[in-house]
Every structure is written in C-alpha cells, then in structure tokens.
Amino acid sequence: MRLGETKQILDRVISDNATIIPKHEAQYGGQAQRIDSYADIISALEVISGYDWSGFEKGTLSAFQEVHPKVKSTVLPQDEFNKLNNMVSAANQNLPIFYSILKTMVEPQDEQAINIKLPLEIRSLEDLTKENKKIQDVLKIYKEDGQYDFKQIDRGTEWYVVVTAGVLSYKFLIAGLDIAQKYFETRKAHSESKTAELDYRAAVEKDDVTKQEINDFTDRKLKLLIEDEVREAIEKIGIGTNDKNELNVKLVKATTALIKELDEGIEFHLSLNPPAYADEVGGHVTIDYTQIKPLIAKKAEETKQLDGPKNESTAD
C-alpha cells in the first residue's frame, strides 16, 4: 500500500494528538456501545497491524473481524468493545511518532489528480508502451475543457499521477468511474445468479433459452446501462449551451473504453485529497452531484470576471 493511502486511511479516524479515539455511545443501559465509524477504525487497524510496532497481533484483529465484520457502523457488547479498545490503545502507543514521520513523507495531491495503477503483468518495455498508449487514449476521449497532464510517478511504486485543470474533463472522468462500478456490479450480479436468465425469459416469454442468448441479452443490458448513466451524468453535471447529443456519444465511447481497460487490470483512483463532492473508500467512488453544478457555475463566473474588460473612469 502506498504511503499516501496509509495516511488517507488514518486521517479518517485520527485525532488532533495523532491517536485514534473511537467515538461511541452507550446502548442498552451501558451493556453495549454503538460505534458509527466502525469500518474506518477497522481499516486503520488493518493498516497498523502490518507494522511491528502495532502492539497487537494481526491474528487478534482477524479473529475479531470474523465475529464482527467490517461494516459502516455497529453495536458491540461491552466486553467486545473492550477488546477493540485494547487494540486501539496498543496502537496508540507508537502511532503519533509513525504519523509524524508519515506526514513528512507524503506530499499533498491536487484535488483533481487521478492515480493510475498499471497492471502487474507488465514484463517488458513493449508492454509498458502499450499500456501507456491505452491510458492516453482513454484520457484523450474524456478531454472536454482541459487536458490531462502527467504529474509524476509515485515514489517507489507502479502508480502514475495525472492532473487536469479542466472543470468538465475531471468531472466526466470520475462520473465514468462511477458508471464503471455500476457496470461491474450489474455484470457480477448477473453472472452469480439466475437474474439474467429470468429477465430474458420474461422478456421473450419462452422457457427454452440458450446460454448465448442470455449472454447477448446481458451485453445489451450493460450497453444500455452505460448509455443511460452517461445521459444522467451529463444532466447532473451540466454543460451549459454545449451540444448534449455530441457529448453523449463521446462520453459513451470514453466510458466504454475506460471499462475495457479497468477490466484488463488498469486501476484509476481519485486524488488522496479529493474535492468535497467526491470520495473513495476501499476503491469505491461516491459522487455528490448536488454539489457539482454550483461549483461549475462559480468557476465559470470567476473566469468571466477575469477575462472581462475592466471598468475605467474617465476624466471630463
């Protein structure tokens, strides 16, 4: 795991004095404790458990998670809460020193940065060139009002960092990542259940269907999912007076290409310091579209004021 990711996970739960203080509320007359940030605390302990200074065994955390899986919030019996608190207390002994070092090693990222991880199976310069070309082609299609510029290769890793100043270019790319998630979730649901078969049989009103017919049906459904989600993203983000039909075709093409590359092992992740309207936890991107339009309008107004003529007073 990159140091920046480690810091990002710790930042979700760490206090001003660089320790973890689980926020909890007594339940059932003090017989249990409710923890709203349970998943974040467990994620932090998972990271810390990989270091010799953690103060607790990784197996202890694993055994605890078998009984209390990682969910957003949970209620723990008092004795189980004490076990969790013991691990946190042990970690806190050395966490402030570790975190102070971590802060000096991790540089803040531009909020519109995209972290791109290459597939692990690259074994030659020819493979690297091919993967770079794929990344370039995807980003080129998403370019709407600003290009993506190479920023750096993250220290000691196979991660690239690219940044765009374009307001729409960035937002349509992260919308594409959101759509890709829905695509993979739908495909997985169909492959692991009889959903696709039942849907197809209901649509054609016959019981005798082939595997190829079901696969073709699923492919059509996934294609329609991309088209509908792209259309919805354009409406939510807003594009002013631009040609929506032309943009729709372009973004369907871009998102289809992005999904293909993600499916083949390339990873696209948000900045370690993402904008207020976007977040990523455990590789899952969430976007609050209600915050995007006001920000775009504000940016456009600021640009207009900078470009507009200045009013100068004249003497009579």
Side-chain angles (χ1 to χ4, degrees):
M1 179 180 289
R2 294 177 299 156
L3 293 177
E5 290 178 276
T6 296
K7 183 176 181 298
Q8 186 183 46
I9 291 171
L10 293 178
D11 282 343
R12 294 182 185 277
V13 296
I14 210 159
S15 64
D16 292 339
N17 64 352
T19 59
I20 300 172
I21 302 176
K23 294 181 180 179
H24 56 94
E25 183 179 351
Q27 305 284 305
Y28 311 116
Q31 298 181 50
Q33 299 291 332
R34 177 179 180 83
I35 309 173
D36 289 331
S37 56
Y38 178 71
D40 291 336
I41 292 172
I42 292 297
S43 294
L45 291 177
E46 286 174 339
V47 169
I48 293 169
S49 68
Y51 295 97
D52 293 337
W53 55 262
S54 66
F56 61 91
E57 297 292 333
K58 183 178 289 188
T60 302
L61 178 60
S62 299
F64 186 84
Q65 286 183 259
E66 288 180 7
V67 182
H68 307 288
K70 185 166 62 175
V71 292
K72 185 175 182 179
S73 64
T74 191
V75 175
L76 298 176
Q78 187 61 48
D79 58 338
E80 294 298 291
F81 174 76
N82 292 340
K83 292 179 183 178
L84 176 66
N85 209 33
N86 287 339
M87 287 186 284
V88 170
S89 297
N92 282 340
Q93 296 300 312
N94 293 302
L95 183 55
I97 297 174
F98 173 76
Y99 188 76
S100 65
I101 297 172
L102 193 62
K103 286 198 300 182
T104 65
M105 299 178 68
V106 177
E107 297 179 2
Q109 281 193 330
D110 187 298
E111 68 173 25
Q112 291 196 170
I114 293 293
N115 297 285
I116 304 173
K117 184 180 182 182
L118 301 178
L120 296 177
E121 60 268 19
I122 292 178
R123 293 292 182 268
S124 68
L125 290 176
E126 183 179 2
D127 290 341
L128 180 61
T129 300
K130 289 179 180 178
E131 295 301 330
N132 286 338
K133 179 66 164 56
K134 291 178 181 180
I135 293 171
Q136 183 181 24
D137 289 345
V138 170
L139 295 180
K140 187 182 295 183
I141 307 176
Y142 271 111
K143 186 177 72 173
E144 181 62 20
D145 61 345
Q147 67 181 23
Y148 290 86
D149 294 321
F150 175 77
K151 181 71 174 177
Q152 67 184 70
I153 296 178
D154 201 20
R155 298 176 188 172
T157 73
E158 66 277 20
W159 291 77
Y160 290 172
V161 181
V162 297
V163 176
T164 178
V167 176
L168 292 174
S169 297
Y170 175 76
K171 292 169 180 62
F172 283 133
L173 175 57
I174 65 172
L177 293 175
D178 180 46
I179 295 169
Q181 287 175 172
K182 295 174 182 175
Y183 176 96
F184 290 125
E185 288 168 1
T186 302
R187 189 178 70 178
K188 182 179 180 182
H190 278 204
S191 66
E192 294 181 352
S193 70
K194 291 178 65 68
T195 301
E197 180 181 344
L198 293 173
D199 287 350
Y200 182 65
R201 284 169 54 189
V204 299
E205 297 184 347
K206 69 175 185 176
D207 294 328
D208 187 17
V209 297
T210 67
K211 183 67 174 177
Q212 187 59 50
E213 286 178 312
I214 296 171
N215 289 341
D216 291 343
F217 171 75
T218 300
D219 289 343
R220 290 196 299 274
K221 185 173 182 178
L222 291 171
K223 182 175 181 292
L224 287 174
L225 182 147
I226 294 173
E227 293 172 356
D228 288 348
E229 291 291 338
V230 164
R231 192 176 302 110
E232 187 174 343
I234 292 173
E235 290 299 325
K236 288 178 178 178
I237 292 172
I239 58 168
T241 59
N242 294 344
D243 188 331
K244 288 186 179 180
N245 291 330
E246 181 181 336
L247 180 60
N248 188 80
V249 172
K250 175 182 176 180
L251 292 182
V252 166
K253 179 180 178 182
T255 304
T256 302
L258 175 63
I259 288 172
K260 179 177 183 295
E261 298 313 322
L262 293 174
D263 212 15
E264 294 182 358
I266 292 179
E267 297 181 23
F268 283 66
H269 296 274
L270 301 187
S271 167
L272 296 172
N273 306 291
Y277 53 81
D279 195 15
E280 181 176 5
V281 179
H284 188 85
V285 175
T286 56
I287 305 172
D288 183 356
Y289 285 100
T290 62
Q291 294 191 48
I292 288 184
K293 280 189 178 181
L295 289 174
I296 290 180
K298 181 180 179 182
K299 182 82 172 179
E301 182 61 28
E302 290 173 349
T303 302
K304 182 178 179 181
Q305 290 176 357
L306 288 173
D307 294 341
K310 295 181 180 179
N311 293 325
E312 297 182 359
S313 60
T314 56
D316 292 334

